[in-house]
Amino acid sequence: AGQLKQLRDPRTRKLSSTGSPGANRAQDAKALEADLSAALSEAEACIQAVCTAVQKRLLAAEMGGATDIGAPARMRARLHAVGQLNTMLADVERYRATSGIGDTNEALMRAERLYCAALGACPELGQAFNQRGLLAAQRGDRLKAVRCGFLALLCNVPFPNSKDNLLVWLGQVAEHSSSRRPAEQGSPRASPQSTAKAALCALQGALLRQDKASADNSKLMVWAQDGV
């Protein structure tokens, strides 16, 4: 996907794999797009097959009415698996959209529905919240991205990698809110809400960065004690 983006970027003037620019570059991009599209379709079929098998087991368990002591734990594990599999299927659609394969808007809508399906099966799945945040950020909905980022970190199955995304989204909200200043002297001042929003996001970002630095330092201390 990264190579395809580079080949399509008019700002890059590197030679194609054949050693010549222009038409060959376009041909390389077309061939790479076909390869990526096939890979995504293969991945989708494989994940969907596993998801269908797990859902059949869920249905059988519900119909069978298992009452042994391990039944609730198995049910939760299978719902968690369905949530993860739907997140993977949504990721495939997001990759299609970001790579320009097929209808981008349709792919993004399918991705949103699948992330919601993942959370419907497992409402505490942090990775699905993080991925919804990525979609929101792509649409320019910064506040929703921030909300999803916090949910990804605070739910029962957190997604720690969301912290880096959340720092970016908080920074964007703070910058956008603080930049809403009067263009000319005498114009109305920025609203107290915008000022407070920018300050709050800046504070949350600072706290997250401090927490992240403390966690990284703790890891270094553990590695040092282990002789790494």
Side-chain angles (χ1 to χ4, degrees), residues 153 163 166-167 170 204-212:
L153 292 175
K163 183 174 291 185
L166 182 54
L167 283 169
L170 282 168
Q204 290 170 328
L207 291 173
L208 279 172
R209 280 190 291 273
Q210 184 179 10
D211 182 57
K212 187 174 186 294

Side-chain angles (χ1 to χ4, degrees), residues 28 38 43 150 204 217:
D28 286 349
F150 275 115
Q204 290 170 328
N217 288 336

Side-chain angles (χ1 to χ4, degrees), residues 10-173:
R11 295 172 296 179
T12 59
R13 299 300 178 189
K14 294 181 180 180
L15 296 179
S16 67
S17 58
T18 59
S20 57
N24 286 329
R25 182 187 180 88
Q27 291 172 4
D28 286 349
K30 188 173 182 179
L32 192 57
E33 179 180 335
D35 289 343
L36 179 59
S37 178
L40 290 173
S41 294
E42 184 179 355
E44 181 180 38
C46 179
I47 298 167
Q48 186 62 66
V50 178
C51 190
T52 300
V54 175
Q55 288 173 327
K56 285 182 178 179
R57 289 197 174 195
L58 278 170
L59 183 60
E62 289 176 357
M63 294 180 66
T67 57
D68 62 281
I69 193 169
R74 289 197 301 273
M75 179 67 74
R76 287 194 299 271
R78 287 168 182 163
L79 287 170
H80 186 190
V82 170
Q84 289 182 313
L85 290 164
N86 275 314
T87 299
M88 295 177 190
L89 288 170
D91 283 342
V92 169
E93 297 292 355
R94 188 166 57 85
Y95 297 148
R96 285 189 175 119
T98 56
S99 300
I101 297 174
D103 189 315
T104 298
N105 290 330
E106 285 291 330
L108 288 174
M109 285 192 290
R110 289 194 297 269
E112 185 73 36
R113 287 196 295 268
L114 285 163
Y115 288 136
C116 289
L119 291 168
C122 184
E124 297 292 324
L125 191 59
Q127 187 174 5
F129 281 120
N130 177 75
Q131 309 302 73
R132 289 197 72 194
L134 292 174
L135 290 184
Q138 186 173 347
R139 294 193 303 267
D141 191 344
R142 302 175 185 87
L143 283 178
K144 183 171 183 178
V146 166
R147 177 177 177 273
C148 288
F150 275 115
L151 287 170
L153 292 175
L154 299 174
C155 61
N156 289 336
V157 189
F159 187 65
N161 290 346
S162 185
K163 183 174 291 185
D164 292 329
N165 291 332
L166 182 54
L167 283 169
V168 173
W169 299 331
L170 282 168
Q172 290 173 344
V173 173

